[in-house]
Amino acid sequence: MILIKLGGSVITNKGKPLSPRRKSIDKIVRTLKKINEPIVIVHGGGSYGHYWSIKYDMHAKPAKYSTHGVSVVKNSMIELNKIILDSFLKNKLNPYCLPPTDFISGNKPITKKIKMIEKIARSGFIPVTYGDALWYGQKKSFILSGDRIMSVLATILKPRLSIFVINVDGLYSNIKTKKLIRELKGRKPLISKSSKDVTGGMNRKVDEAIKISKKDMNVFFVNGNKPERIIDAINRKKFHGTLFRG
């Protein structure tokens, strides 16, 4: 089984509020048709969830955030999710929408429900879930990122590969020269923080990827603007991106 995260910066234009990149989404979804094994999809919030999370000053740490803000974030993620699901259906694939509340209670994974996701994927559907604003309890809520969902699902489902589809070629050792880090094992490189990403941006992706790789699973970062690289990673062809070796 393959676990794939569609990054918000690939499926939306993060510089413009509420702007899906429909052509990019369709191109990636068409590429996914070439995968001949069960897949599970997670997608980020991009200029939908992130935009409102920043506006209402909501973060990954549970706290008493604006209840109206939580409602707005959730509504925007449903909007973006619908665009993704429509693309799957248009391209004759069978998505199965799974809001994160189907398998997360508070901020704790429900193992039995997550194991059910594998059964759904093996029955011919493509489970699709996403980062969201969740109720935590005690009048608190929090932002659950798609990157965090990746490590939660990988820990229990143990996929053959986990792939983060991002809007650059991978991790760079030098951002100016775009010198690519082709392979990492267990260590975290120094990454500059983005002040405009409530879920931690590239730092969060790297943290979750390392967490997955430490459980003896390979993780790839690939450029979603060149979706054929997803297939290259799966088929173990000459790979252009960053591999976190399990």
Side-chain angles (χ1 to χ4, degrees), residues 21-193:
R21 295 179 64 200
R22 293 177 189 270
K23 285 183 182 174
S24 296
I25 293 167
D26 284 345
K27 202 172 168 188
I28 290 168
V29 170
R30 280 196 298 273
T31 303
L32 298 179
K33 288 183 82 169
K34 299 175 186 174
I35 301 172
N36 296 316
E37 57 192 292
I39 60 175
V40 175
I41 302 292
V42 180
H43 71 78
S47 63
Y48 281 75
H50 281 287
Y51 170 71
W52 293 114
S53 301
I54 292 164
K55 199 170 176 67
Y56 287 99
D57 196 24
M58 297 167 64
H59 301 272
K61 186 179 177 183
K64 291 181 181 177
Y65 301 118
S66 158
T67 48
H68 183 70
V70 171
S71 296
V72 171
V73 170
K74 290 187 81 63
N75 194 47
S76 76
M77 287 309 300
I78 289 168
E79 268 184 63
L80 179 58
N81 183 245
K82 179 76 165 58
I83 292 167
I84 305 278
L85 298 177
D86 285 345
S87 178
F88 272 81
L89 288 170
K90 185 172 78 177
N91 286 288
K92 304 289 188 288
L93 288 167
N94 301 312
Y96 189 97
C97 179
L98 280 168
T101 44
D102 279 16
F103 56 88
I104 300 276
S105 177
N107 62 356
K108 298 278 191 306
I110 308 166
T111 302
K112 188 179 173 184
K113 294 276 193 178
I114 291 174
K115 285 183 174 171
M116 194 71 73
I117 295 174
E118 179 172 6
K119 291 180 181 175
I120 292 167
R122 293 193 184 281
S123 73
F125 290 106
I126 299 174
V128 180
T129 189
Y130 49 87
D132 203 0
L134 298 189
W135 183 72
Y136 178 75
Q138 302 166 325
K139 296 187 177 178
K140 292 181 179 179
S141 52
F142 69 106
I143 299 293
L144 176 69
S145 73
D147 299 322
R148 171 79 183 118
I149 292 174
M150 284 291 282
S151 67
V152 166
L153 295 183
T155 300
I156 294 166
L157 297 180
K158 309 232 175 323
R160 180 171 78 78
L161 281 180
S162 296
I163 300 173
F164 286 75
V165 181
I166 56 178
N167 70 335
V168 290
D169 287 343
L171 282 184
Y172 299 126
S173 58
N174 185 320
I175 199 78
K176 286 180 182 173
T177 62
K178 296 202 170 171
K179 187 167 191 277
L180 193 62
I181 300 171
R182 296 198 174 268
E183 190 170 318
L184 282 165
K185 189 165 184 178
R187 63 181 178 84
K188 183 180 177 180
L190 189 66
I191 302 162
S192 62
K193 288 188 178 180

